[in-house]
Amino acid sequence: MRRATGRGAAVLLPAIVIGVIAAYTAVGWLRRAHEAATHAEPLLFSRELAEHLPLAALVFVVAAAVCAGVVIALRWVARAALASGSGGAPGTLGAAVAWVYARWWRLALVLAVVWAPLLALRWPGAVNPDFALMVTEIAKTRSEFAPGEARPFDVYPIAYSLIPDGELVWSNQHNAFLTLVYGGVAALSGVLFHSYVPGIVLLSGTQALFTLFALGRALQLVGRGVARPGMKAAALALTAAGAMIALWSMDLSKNPLFAAAFVWWLALVIDRALLSRRRWWVAETLVATTVMILSVKFGLYVALAGALLLLLHRAGWRAVALGVLVPVAVLQVALRGLIGVGVVIPDDPTEARVTQLQQVALIAREDPAALTPERRAVIERVFDLDAMVAAYVPETADPVKSSGFEDNGSYRWRTVQPQDWDGFTGVWLQLAAERPDLFVDAFLLKSDKYLDPAADTYPWPPLRTWDWTVSYSLDLSGVNPGGRSALEAGLAAAYASPARYLISPSAWAVLTLLLCAVAVSLRRPGAMTWSLLLALQIGVALLAPLNGSGRYLLGVIYAAGVVFLALGLRPTRPAADDADAGSTALP
């Protein structure tokens, strides 16, 4: 029965992946058809599908056929590599690959050399609004804001009922601990140098170096279980081809840091589950897990999912507890404690409800009669429904939750109380049951670009620096302006050509998912483990507040080379190790 189930999953799950990608490709075609026709009415996929059903079905079939062809081709490559074993005596290529993979720093050095032109043009990064607000939260107190000056908890609204008394502005909006690191280093730079620029240079340079280390270490860890030098070389080449990794590595925002830490952590999960019981695994995994959780709030759920999967692999409960669960528990207790004593302002409930808000706003716009007086009364406790409809933008949830420097009146964050949310989810479910077409429309309008390989997305981070002053200026316009301008022009030209697929976030995400489908179809050891961890991040991206933003896909994009390399894994962990699963020495 177990083998039959395994064979069924090996067919069903790749088919689901192909079907989802093909569906998103067809949805993307409907978007482009609507835009090309310059319709006066706003885009609704349900309406477009009814008008163009035969052509949309054809696009779906063609996309599914192309994806299936890619999976078949990659299956052939993987099977050929596995069948050929180690390939006999190593030649020049084999010796070179073995030498590079013997040390993580050699792999990192190769990546650094390949990416050097991009890194030089990008240096020292650019300040984005999120980073500027994080610095503001640490560097300023409430009394230092002039009357009418935008405060961080008004730019990204947090209900006043959640904000404790006091002077601090530090919040969990962008993860409290990362805010403390970014803001603390910038504030210290201001004290020592009367400028934030040295701190920004230090942070962006450190993050780029950490990215190189994390990818080099991840390739080395997984590469220890791969005998075929050709697959190792291809995995390194695939990672190096990810120009977006170099571009994002200096961006001071949460997602690039998470992506680097995640790839390192994913390789450690694979190593523990399939390859070895190394003595330093616990310490290394504890660091990777900590960085992952410090960078993004959903890193907590990725870590918990990984811990569960490791336990299912009988990877040793003590090692998993110390390496993964301990940092999860410590950081969560610390965060809840800081919030409980009023040191950190909690994040607002709207941050977890962006898809709900978009769906309610679209239904209210397209079918006002669905909002009965009773339902309207429930929503009006939290939102001004008319302002919400007026603010609604299909591709981003920021306007409906009133994020930004101008108050559009949609979210009543100044007066809302926690109990005012009672009944909101119930109304949302009632609207979903009555208008499932608009329910799906709103979801797709906010997420369709993530898995459409031909989508017009946001592939690179902000290159123009943001002119923002806290205690000191964050303006980097005088540092390497020529390099950033040249990079911006070159990227724009590349994105307007067929080369766009080399820097398209959605194309890279689709490639990684297809590699996962290949691994599952071949029933490669551990394939379900890393595939589920990557699928979890796809789900997070689809629920993100902005449609098609490359930064929400970075964890999947950074992992492409490691996932390809994992196709060639030959498990080496001795079965006898399972009897010693409780050991913390990890021999």
Side-chain angles (χ1 to χ4, degrees), residues 121-287:
L121 292 172
R122 178 86 169 96
W123 183 87
V127 171
N128 56 68
D130 286 356
F131 177 80
L133 289 171
M134 292 161 82
V135 173
T136 303
E137 288 188 13
I138 301 301
K140 296 186 74 170
T141 60
R142 297 181 204 179
S143 60
E144 292 177 315
F145 287 89
E149 184 182 359
R151 295 170 296 183
F153 51 73
D154 290 320
V155 177
Y156 286 104
I158 297 175
Y160 281 9
S161 60
L162 299 176
I163 300 176
D165 296 331
E167 281 289 294
L168 294 180
V169 193
W170 182 19
S171 80
N172 195 41
Q173 171 67 33
H174 293 103
N175 197 320
F177 296 116
L178 185 64
T179 297
L180 181 62
V181 172
Y182 280 176
V185 171
L188 181 62
S189 174
V191 171
L192 296 177
F193 303 103
H194 303 290
S195 170
Y196 290 141
V197 173
I200 294 169
V201 171
L202 175 63
L203 286 169
S204 61
T206 301
Q207 189 164 295
L209 290 173
F210 175 74
T211 302
L212 290 169
F213 158 76
L215 292 175
R217 181 60 173 154
L219 288 169
Q220 183 202 22
L221 284 169
V222 179
R224 294 187 314 146
V226 178
R228 193 67 179 166
M231 290 201 75
K232 291 183 176 181
L236 178 57
L238 183 61
T239 303
M244 279 193 305
I245 303 176
L247 295 175
W248 281 100
S249 66
M250 285 188 182
D251 189 68
L252 296 178
S253 59
K254 55 190 177 181
N255 301 88
L257 181 61
F258 165 79
F262 168 75
V263 174
W264 177 24
W265 178 85
L266 180 66
L268 287 164
V269 169
I270 294 172
D271 178 50
R272 182 72 184 178
L274 301 172
L275 298 177
S276 68
R277 295 294 176 87
R278 295 179 303 104
R279 182 176 299 276
W280 294 103
W281 185 90
V282 167
E284 191 172 349
T285 305
L286 187 148
V287 174

Side-chain angles (χ1 to χ4, degrees), residues 162-164 170-173 176-177 332-347:
L162 299 176
I163 300 176
W170 182 19
S171 80
N172 195 41
Q173 171 67 33
F177 296 116
Q332 279 301 297
V333 169
L335 176 61
R336 297 306 156 195
L338 290 169
I339 291 174
V341 298
V343 174
V344 171
I345 301 170
D347 42 340

Side-chain angles (χ1 to χ4, degrees), residues 16 19 38 101 135 183 202 204 210 268 283 372 413 420 426 474 483 487 491 547-548 550 553 570:
I16 291 174
T38 61
Y101 269 81
V135 173
L202 175 63
S204 61
F210 175 74
L268 287 164
T372 62
W413 80 92
D420 291 336
L474 289 165
L487 180 61
L491 289 171
N547 188 10
L553 290 171
R570 295 181 180 275

Side-chain angles (χ1 to χ4, degrees), residues 6-19:
R7 293 193 194 98
V11 175
L12 178 61
L13 293 180
I16 291 174
V17 170
I18 290 171

Side-chain angles (χ1 to χ4, degrees), residues 121-132 247 251 460-468 474-492:
L121 292 172
R122 178 86 169 96
W123 183 87
V127 171
N128 56 68
D130 286 356
F131 177 80
L247 295 175
D251 189 68
W460 54 81
L463 299 176
R464 295 181 182 273
T465 190
W466 205 40
D467 185 8
W468 177 275
L474 289 165
D475 187 3
L476 295 176
S477 57
V479 184
N480 193 22
R484 282 198 298 272
S485 296
L487 180 61
E488 187 174 26
L491 289 171

